[in-house]
Amino acid sequence: MKIQRMNINDKPHIIDMMETFYNSEAVLTNGSREIFENDINACLSDSPYLEGYTLKEEDKIIGYFMLAKSFSTEYGKPCIWVEDIYLIKEYRYQGLSKEMFKFIEDKYPNHLLRLEAEKSNESAIKSYKKNGFEIMDYLELYKNNNGN
């Protein structure tokens, strides 16, 4: 498996995967084509906030993930949010997440790594715990500030 930065040729494949991912039980929101386009465009730009990567087996895209950057005042260090982790079905349960997390840890040493999972997504939670993540007992809140 190879991990590479997203490129413009990957865009249609990633959008298809995002539509599948966001319409699954692994995600509470459905997303939209506009959001998917915005996310990928940010990954393809020189955005300081978001990076996008593909997982490839030979030349076939078998998954993707995005990394969002922030700072954790709670831990006093930069934070990488691992967003939208998606593998197509036939490549799941093969230990590929271990390679992906190793890639992220090597790229961002001394960073706090965080991610979210639906409580019902037991297989994902098991994988994350196996890769060293711990469950935090936080309630997350959000407000979509559209500037209105």
Side-chain angles (χ1 to χ4, degrees):
M1 179 190 69
K2 291 187 295 188
I3 299 175
Q4 299 176 317
R5 284 293 294 254
M6 284 181 189
N7 67 59
I8 191 69
N9 297 325
D10 300 330
K11 192 172 182 175
H13 305 288
I14 305 282
I15 286 179
D16 287 345
M17 290 180 185
M18 291 179 87
E19 287 175 346
T20 300
F21 180 55
Y22 277 83
N23 284 301
S24 75
E25 292 179 3
V27 183
L28 282 178
T29 60
N30 289 338
S32 70
R33 182 75 178 214
E34 179 183 2
I35 291 171
F36 304 154
E37 293 269 349
N38 288 343
D39 292 347
I40 295 171
N41 289 340
C43 288
L44 297 174
S45 74
D46 59 354
S47 170
Y49 305 110
L50 192 63
E51 296 175 1
Y53 294 88
T54 58
L55 306 165
K56 292 185 177 180
E57 186 69 40
E58 296 178 20
D59 286 332
K60 180 182 179 182
I61 298 174
I62 61 169
Y64 77 95
F65 63 94
M66 297 179 189
L67 302 177
K69 301 173 185 177
S70 68
F71 190 90
S72 172
T73 57
E74 186 175 355
Y75 289 88
K77 60 165 94 180
C79 178
I80 300 295
W81 281 87
V82 186
E83 301 275 359
D84 284 29
I85 303 168
Y86 181 80
L87 276 172
I88 58 177
K89 248 183 191 161
E90 57 266 29
Y91 289 90
R92 296 177 190 167
Y93 310 108
Q94 297 180 24
L96 299 178
S97 63
K98 183 176 182 176
E99 291 181 52
M100 182 196 68
F101 287 121
K102 170 102 171 70
F103 172 86
I104 297 167
E105 289 167 9
D106 289 349
K107 184 169 178 60
Y108 290 104
N110 199 33
H111 280 64
L112 178 68
L113 301 182
R114 291 188 70 171
L115 52 76
E116 299 173 340
E118 297 305 321
K119 290 178 183 178
S120 62
N121 195 346
E122 294 175 13
S123 62
I125 293 168
K126 182 178 177 181
S127 172
Y128 302 150
K129 288 169 89 176
K130 193 174 186 180
N131 281 285
F133 286 83
E134 298 176 30
I135 293 177
M136 298 178 78
D137 226 7
Y138 281 97
L139 173 64
E140 185 171 343
L141 298 104
Y142 80 98
K143 178 180 180 181
N144 188 357
N145 185 3
N146 292 323
N148 297 326

